[in-house]
């Protein structure tokens, strides 16, 4: 396998990728069926979202058994077949590990409920007769504590109430987790994505928050680096070629440098999300606001520079299964090809490992749902109730949810425009998006194929040392509509020009274009002095 610094990862949201048994839910056999497509795209690793036994309240991020596969998604034999067939095509499988919490249906929690001391200590349970032990707010809305049946005891759940936080202070629990990691390595997987892993270290004292929703107590918590070093040593550290990425919620640059330090004592790289909060009014996701372009550029640039200086490594991305579709959010559905390819160019040529989310390679858009019954996501449904209780009008709530819901990313893959979208023969678990015209078949047959453009971006990552490791520098940072940056390695230079606006823009005269050749553009005929709406142009000089 390629080094992670020269690789591209593709995220498969299994429930929505490819159904093969007609139950309306994607499955492991579906991924096998599409391996040739993924190989043609050129990706190196597949990160597959959780398929373990689960009540699927949070679509698999509520794990009830870490070692077995939910029958909805297939069998262990299917997974083994997938690992082998992916490997035959030079693709490594990465599993998603959810260790901040387990489902309340997990046998550990069930035994805790039954009063077994050993398992009660696997969770965070506090007594308080006056109500929830602290005022912390769950990431999905509401108080983060749920009462255990009978008595005055509460368990912590930073996410849904069926996702009980695990007690990492307990060495026996930690050992269970290392054994689970070893078990999957044994099966031949090549890497791991660790879900909200920077939330596992909770504070010693539990007290009310006065400045935020409680997150500063447990985000990048007191023992987080000790735990990650231990996961590394006892979990996967003996397998140096494994690729590991931590999902870091509300993290800091300094911590991400340490998480992804080049000595490899913790993880290969980190996901951070600050650049995806630029359309949150006062930090609140459930609001409507045009995204702040200057802030987007500042955040991307400062993380690029900071991680380079500190020796850290970013996972770079605009889409995942929790985010609205970037083409609808930062681009324009009316300039579909140009904006989808421009956004892809923006993040693929940064310093870091690019992560493609299923469907973005042919420009899938937001769902455009207009009725609450079309949604499935627990977070969206919770906030629907919360905003309703605050007195907001139904139409306004629906507008916010349509822009912000995680279901925007989760509508089934549109392989073609047939009634089942090439995704299922049955009826899909989640309503299809409203734009069937954006499907893989049509895109690949078009002279303006986003998929073909992604192939070229992936080739650049594989072949161009400047893109792999060159330094990053933003040029003309305050520009109102253009994002311009360069990558540099010794004498070699790549210049990336991106027009984020719907109007053509003149190319600033103060840029040094001397001796530079265009190596990539999303325009049929790029014009010399200006950039077309949503144009991306890449120039090179060696
Ligand atoms: O997400 C973590 C997380 O906090 C967010 O992405 C969350 O969806 C968002 O902040 C809400 O506004 C991870 C998984 O990616 C997500 O799918 C899970 O629901 C969550 O952890 C719990 O396991």
């Amino acid at each position: 396998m390629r080094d992670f610094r020269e690789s591209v990862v593709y995220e498969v949201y299994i429930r929505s990728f490819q159904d093969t048994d007609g139950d309306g839910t994607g499955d492991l056999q579906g991924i096998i069926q599409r391996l040739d497509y993924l190989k043609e795209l050129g990706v190196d690793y597949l990160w597959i979202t959780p398929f373990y036994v689960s009540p699927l309240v949070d679509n698999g991020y509520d794990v009830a058994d870490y070692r077995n596969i939910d029958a909805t998604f297939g069998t262990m034999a299917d997974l083994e077949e997938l690992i082998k067939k992916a490997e035959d095509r030079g693709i490594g499988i990465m599993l998603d590990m959810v260790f901040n919490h387990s489902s309340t249906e997990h046998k550990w929690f069930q035994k805790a409920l039954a009063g077994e001391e050993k398992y009660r200590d696997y969770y965070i349970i506090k007594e308080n007769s006056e109500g929830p032990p602290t005022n912390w707010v769950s990431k999905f809305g509401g108080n983060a504590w749920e009462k255990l049946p009978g008595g005055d005891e509460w368990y912590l759940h930073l996410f849904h109430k069926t996702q009980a936080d695990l007690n990492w202070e307990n060495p026996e629990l930690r050992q269970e987790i290392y054994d689970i990691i070893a078990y999957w390595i044994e099966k031949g997987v090549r890497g791991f994505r660790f879900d909200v892993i920077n939330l596992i270290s909770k504070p010693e004292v539990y007290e009310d928050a006065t400045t935020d929703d409680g997150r500063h107590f447990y985000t990048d918590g007191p023992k987080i680096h000790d735990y990650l070093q231990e996961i590394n040593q006892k979990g996967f550290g003996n397998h140096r070629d494994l690729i590991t990425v931590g999902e870091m919620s509300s993290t800091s640059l300094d911590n991400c440098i340490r998480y992804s330090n080049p000595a490899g004592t913790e993880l290969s790289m980190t996901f951070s999300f600050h650049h995806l909060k630029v359309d949150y009014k006062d930090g609140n996701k459930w609001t409507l606001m045009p995204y702040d372009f200057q802030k987007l550029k500042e955040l991307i640039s400062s993380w690029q520079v900071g991680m380079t200086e500190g020796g850290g490594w970013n996972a770079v991305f605009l889409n995942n299964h929790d985010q609205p579709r970037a083409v609808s959010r930062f681009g324009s559905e009316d300039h579909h090809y140009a904006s989808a390819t421009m956004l892809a160019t923006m993040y693929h040529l940064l310093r870091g490992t690019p992560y493609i989310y299923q469907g973005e390679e042919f420009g899938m858009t937001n769902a455009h749902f207009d009725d609450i019954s079309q949604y499935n996501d627990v977070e969206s449904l919770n906030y629907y109730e919360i905003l309703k209780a605050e007195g907001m009008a139904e139409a306004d709530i629906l507008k916010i949810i349509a822009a912000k819901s995680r279901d925007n990313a989760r509508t089934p893959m549109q392989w073609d425009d047939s009634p089942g979208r090439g995704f299922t023969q049955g009826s899909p678990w989640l309503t299809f998006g409203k734009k069937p015209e954006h499907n893989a078949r049509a895109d690949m047959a078009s002279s303006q194929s986003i998929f073909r453009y992604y192939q070229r971006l992936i080739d650049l990552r594989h072949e161009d040392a400047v893109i792999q490791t060159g330094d990053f520098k933003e040029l003309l940072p305050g520009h109102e509509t253009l994002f311009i940056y360069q990558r540099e390695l010794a004498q070699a230079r790549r210049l990336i020009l991106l027009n984020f606006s719907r109007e053509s823009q003149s190319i600033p005269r103060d840029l040094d274009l001397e001796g530079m050749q265009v190596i990539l553009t999303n325009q049929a005929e790029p014009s010399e002095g200006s950039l077309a709406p949503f144009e991306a142009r890449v120039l090179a000089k060696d």
Side-chain angles (χ1 to χ4, degrees):
M1 301 295 304
R2 281 197 177 85
D3 184 86
F4 68 82
R5 293 170 201 85
E6 300 167 12
S7 295
V8 177
V9 183
Y10 185 98
E11 181 191 354
V12 170
Y13 194 68
I14 185 167
R15 205 171 184 187
S16 297
F17 191 65
Q18 176 69 63
D19 176 22
T20 57
D21 59 6
D23 66 354
T25 287
D27 43 48
L28 290 163
Q29 279 299 331
I31 305 175
I32 295 173
Q33 192 177 305
R34 296 295 181 178
L35 280 174
D36 286 328
Y37 168 90
L38 296 164
K39 169 140 177 78
E40 192 181 344
L41 182 59
V43 296
D44 303 283
Y45 290 93
L46 294 189
W47 148 28
I48 305 173
T49 58
F51 45 71
Y52 320 103
V53 176
S54 166
L56 301 182
V57 175
D58 191 22
N59 287 339
Y61 286 92
D62 44 333
V63 181
D65 176 353
Y66 289 97
R67 292 168 188 255
N68 282 297
I69 292 171
D70 200 286
T72 321
F73 301 120
T75 63
M76 193 62 82
D78 292 335
L79 180 71
E80 285 162 359
E81 184 185 341
L82 170 61
I83 293 172
K84 166 139 199 336
K85 290 190 166 158
E87 203 77 14
D88 291 345
R89 290 164 177 78
I91 298 174
I93 299 295
M94 289 169 75
L95 298 193
D96 202 328
M97 300 273 118
V98 190
F99 293 140
N100 176 68
H101 43 265
S102 81
S103 164
T104 49
E105 287 189 15
H106 195 288
K107 68 172 190 269
W108 297 337
F109 193 85
Q110 289 302 314
K111 287 182 181 172
L113 270 185
E116 267 189 60
E117 270 317 310
K118 172 178 156 103
Y119 293 102
R120 281 173 52 93
D121 197 47
Y122 276 26
Y123 294 92
I124 297 170
I125 297 174
K126 305 275 172 209
E127 205 179 315
N128 191 16
S129 56
E130 277 133 46
T134 68
N135 63 355
W136 301 359
V137 181
S138 148
K139 307 265 181 198
F140 292 161
N143 186 274
W145 298 89
E146 184 72 13
K147 210 168 189 184
L148 285 171
D152 294 322
E153 287 182 325
W154 306 72
Y155 67 90
L156 179 67
H157 62 90
L158 294 182
F159 292 89
H160 192 256
K161 63 175 186 232
T162 62
Q163 293 167 301
D165 280 56
L166 290 164
N167 175 20
W168 275 74
E169 291 284 329
N170 181 333
E172 274 182 274
L173 178 267
R174 299 207 299 277
Q175 192 55 51
E176 299 254 21
I177 286 169
Y178 310 143
D179 293 346
I180 293 165
I181 294 172
Y183 169 85
W184 289 110
I185 292 177
E186 214 29 38
K187 299 268 177 211
V189 305
R190 294 291 194 148
F192 296 105
R193 178 252 189 199
F194 294 101
D195 190 62
V196 288
I197 197 68
N198 69 325
L199 307 185
I200 60 178
S201 172
K202 309 295 195 280
E204 240 161 67
V205 183
Y206 284 73
E207 52 195 350
D208 277 354
T210 51
T211 53
D212 65 5
D213 58 3
R215 66 183 65 198
H216 73 279
F217 287 117
Y218 55 75
T219 302
D220 303 319
K223 294 193 187 149
I224 186 61
H225 294 285
D226 300 336
Y227 291 154
L228 274 168
Q229 284 158 26
E230 197 179 273
I231 302 177
N232 181 311
Q233 280 160 23
K234 299 193 176 166
F236 58 80
N238 292 332
H239 305 265
R240 283 277 153 212
D241 54 344
L242 279 178
I243 165 172
T244 54
V245 56
E247 187 201 26
M248 304 302 176
S249 171
S250 305
T251 188
S252 71
L253 177 61
D254 288 346
N255 276 296
C256 283
I257 290 170
R258 292 177 68 187
Y259 294 137
S260 62
N261 68 79
T265 53
E266 300 187 16
L267 301 169
S268 316
M269 65 186 107
T270 52
F271 285 116
S272 67
F273 294 90
H274 300 284
H275 67 295
L276 295 178
K277 297 184 179 173
V278 295
D279 53 4
Y280 291 13
K281 203 188 276 171
D282 303 322
N284 180 358
K285 171 171 175 172
W286 302 96
T287 52
L288 284 181
M289 188 186 105
Y291 80 95
D292 183 335
F293 177 55
Q294 296 306 323
K295 217 163 156 189
L296 178 73
K297 294 197 292 180
E298 272 162 38
L299 283 162
I300 291 173
S301 299
S302 59
W303 276 76
Q304 284 284 301
V305 172
M307 288 291 261
T308 308
E309 285 174 359
W313 195 257
N314 284 304
V316 290
F317 68 105
L318 285 177
N319 288 290
N320 72 22
H321 64 284
D322 294 330
Q323 299 292 330
R325 293 282 183 176
V327 66
S328 307
R329 187 180 185 185
F330 304 117
S332 157
E333 293 182 8
D334 306 332
H335 296 80
H336 185 252
Y337 172 78
S339 69
T341 50
M342 185 279 288
L343 292 167
T345 311
M346 190 278 280
Y347 85 86
H348 270 263
L349 302 187
L350 294 172
R351 184 174 179 278
T353 301
Y355 281 68
I356 299 169
Y357 177 65
Q358 66 183 42
E360 70 164 88
E361 74 278 15
F362 53 86
M364 278 185 67
T365 65
N366 276 351
H368 300 296
F369 290 161
D370 45 24
D371 195 288
I372 194 66
S373 66
Q374 292 165 313
Y375 291 92
N376 163 278
D377 171 29
V378 276
E379 185 195 31
S380 307
L381 297 176
N382 270 358
Y383 274 96
Y384 174 78
E385 296 302 338
I386 291 170
L387 296 177
K388 236 184 161 153
E390 285 172 6
M392 194 183 280
E394 173 90 6
D396 294 335
I397 301 177
L398 287 176
K399 258 190 229 152
I400 294 178
I401 296 182
K404 298 299 172 86
S405 176
R406 306 192 299 177
D407 282 338
N408 284 311
R410 300 176 178 183
T411 57
M413 272 290 268
Q414 302 189 147
W415 297 101
D416 58 40
D417 62 1
S418 65
R421 303 284 201 276
F423 164 72
T424 186
Q425 305 280 359
S427 101
W429 73 278
L430 179 67
T431 313
F432 290 122
K434 289 250 171 83
K435 304 229 162 160
E437 63 272 31
H438 301 312
N439 63 76
R441 179 180 292 167
D443 178 81
M444 290 168 85
S446 158
S447 58
Q448 287 201 318
S449 164
I450 302 170
F451 182 95
R452 305 278 170 230
Y453 192 94
Y454 269 71
Q455 288 177 315
R456 299 175 63 196
L457 290 172
I458 296 168
D459 286 346
L460 278 173
R461 173 68 48 186
H462 289 162
E463 288 157 14
D464 187 351
V466 188
I467 297 302
Q468 289 160 0
T469 53
D471 282 344
F472 166 97
K473 186 178 177 197
E474 186 183 357
L475 304 178
L476 308 179
H479 198 288
E480 275 177 29
T481 48
L482 303 183
F483 186 11
I484 306 173
Y485 67 86
Q486 71 174 24
R487 305 288 313 280
E488 212 167 15
L489 186 68
Q491 303 308 316
R493 192 167 158 242
R494 307 288 175 259
L495 185 65
I496 292 93
L497 302 174
L498 307 157
N499 181 0
F500 271 72
S501 77
R502 289 155 197 272
E503 285 86 41
S504 45
Q505 304 289 338
S506 54
I507 297 179
R509 289 178 191 282
D510 25 0
L511 289 175
D512 173 17
L513 306 179
E514 188 59 40
M516 301 207 82
Q517 303 294 326
V518 177
I519 57 165
L520 182 65
T521 161
N522 59 1
Q523 300 298 310
E525 284 172 36
S527 91
E528 197 158 313
S530 65
L531 296 171
F534 296 106
E535 176 165 352
R537 194 181 299 181
V538 184
L539 301 123
K541 182 173 161 181
D542 285 314

